[in-house]
Amino acid sequence: MQANDVRLLKGAAIPTLLVGLVVVVVAALVAGGKGALGAAIGALVVGVFFTLGIVAISYAGRVSPMAMMTAAVVTYAVKILIVMALLKAFENATAFEPKAFGWGAVVCTVAWTIGEMRGFMKLKMLYVDPDGKTPGSG
C-alpha cells in the first residue's frame, strides 16, 4: 500500500472504531449483552469489509487508473450487497440482538464513509500530471 492509502485507511478506520465503541455501549445499555454483541459484530463486519475494499483499490491502482476505478465501483457494490445480505440473514438471530447488529452496521458504515471522504479531502494528491503532454499541442 502507498502512504496515501494508509493515511486514507487510518482516516476512515479510527473514527469508525470510535463510533463502533459508542454503538456497542449504547446497545449494551438498551439491549444488554446480546445487544452489545450484535453491535460489535456489525461494527466488525463493516471494518473488515471496508478495509478489504481499500486494500483492493490500492492494489488495482498500481495497475492503472481505469483498473482502480473499476475496482472501486465493484468493491463498493459488493460491500453494500454483502452487508445488506447479512442484515437480512441475521434478522431472526437469537445469539445476539439483530437490531443492534443492523444499527451497528449502518452507523459504522456512515462513519466509515464520512471518515473516508474527509481523508480524501485532506490528501495532497495531484489530479493532473504537471509533466504531462497536452494532446494537440506542439
Side-chain angles (χ1 to χ4, degrees), residues 42 45-54 57 71-89 101-102 105-114 116:
V45 165
V46 169
V48 168
F49 283 1
F50 282 65
T51 298
L52 291 175
I54 287 181
I57 292 167
V73 171
V74 169
T75 58
Y76 180 77
V78 168
K79 286 185 293 193
I80 296 303
L81 289 173
I82 290 175
V83 169
M84 286 174 36
L86 288 174
L87 289 172
K88 182 67 177 162
F101 170 79
V106 169
V107 170
C108 287
T109 298
V110 170
W112 185 283
T113 304
I114 291 170
E116 197 171 30

Side-chain angles (χ1 to χ4, degrees), residues 115-128:
E116 197 171 30
M117 288 185 327
R118 184 174 180 270
F120 270 120
M121 289 188 296
K122 290 179 73 175
L123 285 179
K124 305 282 193 249
M125 291 177 43
L126 297 174
Y127 55 91
V128 294

Side-chain angles (χ1 to χ4, degrees), residues 4-30:
N4 283 344
D5 298 327
V6 173
R7 275 188 259 144
L8 181 63
L9 181 60
K10 286 187 345 188
I14 292 171
T16 304
L17 176 66
L18 297 175
V19 168
L21 290 173
V22 170
V23 170
V24 168
V25 169
V26 169
L29 294 173
V30 172

Side-chain angles (χ1 to χ4, degrees), residues 89-110:
F90 292 147
E91 71 181 345
N92 296 319
T94 57
F96 57 86
E97 178 60 45
K99 287 184 181 179
F101 170 79
W103 279 108
V106 169
V107 170
C108 287
T109 298
V110 170

Side-chain angles (χ1 to χ4, degrees), residues 59-76:
Y59 285 117
R62 292 180 181 176
V63 175
S64 74
M66 182 65 97
M68 184 172 80
M69 186 61 187
T70 303
V73 171
V74 169
T75 58
Y76 180 77

